[in-house]
Amino acid sequence: TEDDWFEYAGIFLDSDTLGLVKAAVDGLHRFSSARVMAALERKMRAGPRVIRIAVLNALEAIGTDAVLPPLVEALGHKQVPVRNRAAEVLKHMSAKEVQKLGLAMTSVGSISRDSIARVFDQFVDVLEQPGLGSGADEYVRAARALSELRNA
């Protein structure tokens, strides 16, 4: 259970050994409670990059609306690899979740409109890469619709 995880493995989130922290973050992918999202958001802020990427992998595995707040934070991160991985996570979300994300992004005061525009542009660039499959068009349309909403 989640309670068991926090009792026995949660202590490793604050380890000095990156491998243990990464393993602990990886273990959170099975849960989606507010407690888990808070732990993932905390690790996203604390870093380093390898842990931030592990957080994004866990968010991708969770794949519910609960991941939107930490994903918004990652999309505005100062490190390009973190932003790029966050955009990749978006590829695996439904168009409806992407729309919710766009609305969440526009409601966060700490992310500038320029940052939102840059993230949407990166997201569309990722989606337009060859080999993404037939579903990419739907995501591109959703991203462009959100971009238009942003500019309205």
Side-chain angles (χ1 to χ4, degrees):
T1 69
E2 181 181 319
D3 287 337
D4 290 337
W5 186 95
F6 274 99
E7 183 176 345
Y8 299 111
I11 60 169
F12 297 111
L13 286 172
D14 297 313
S15 173
D16 292 332
T17 306
L18 283 181
L20 291 176
V21 177
K22 185 179 177 303
V25 168
D26 291 344
L28 288 173
H29 80 275
R30 298 175 294 164
F31 312 109
S32 62
S33 71
R35 182 182 186 189
V36 168
M37 292 303 119
L40 290 172
E41 287 178 22
R42 183 172 63 85
K43 296 316 296 180
M44 176 69 73
R45 288 185 197 108
R49 182 185 311 162
V50 68
I51 300 305
R52 291 182 179 108
I53 299 299
V55 167
L56 289 166
N57 292 341
L59 295 175
E60 181 177 34
I62 293 167
T64 67
D65 290 354
V67 306
L68 295 180
L71 192 55
V72 167
E73 185 174 333
L75 288 168
H77 197 274
K78 66 182 178 182
Q79 294 179 349
V80 173
V82 173
R83 290 194 313 260
N84 287 342
R85 180 64 183 117
E88 290 173 12
V89 171
L90 284 174
K91 289 191 311 191
H92 302 287
M93 298 179 80
S94 72
K96 186 171 185 152
E97 289 169 327
V98 172
Q99 287 176 327
K100 287 180 184 177
L101 176 63
L103 294 174
M105 288 176 71
T106 59
S107 69
V108 175
S110 64
I111 298 178
S112 71
R113 289 196 172 269
D114 289 340
S115 293
I116 293 170
R118 186 180 67 248
V119 166
F120 277 125
D121 291 342
Q122 287 177 334
F123 178 51
V124 170
D125 289 346
V126 168
L127 290 175
E128 290 177 337
Q129 292 176 3
L132 285 180
S134 60
D137 290 342
E138 179 181 355
Y139 291 105
V140 171
R141 284 194 303 276
R144 287 190 176 136
L146 287 170
S147 180
E148 289 173 16
L149 174 67
R150 175 197 74 226
N151 292 327

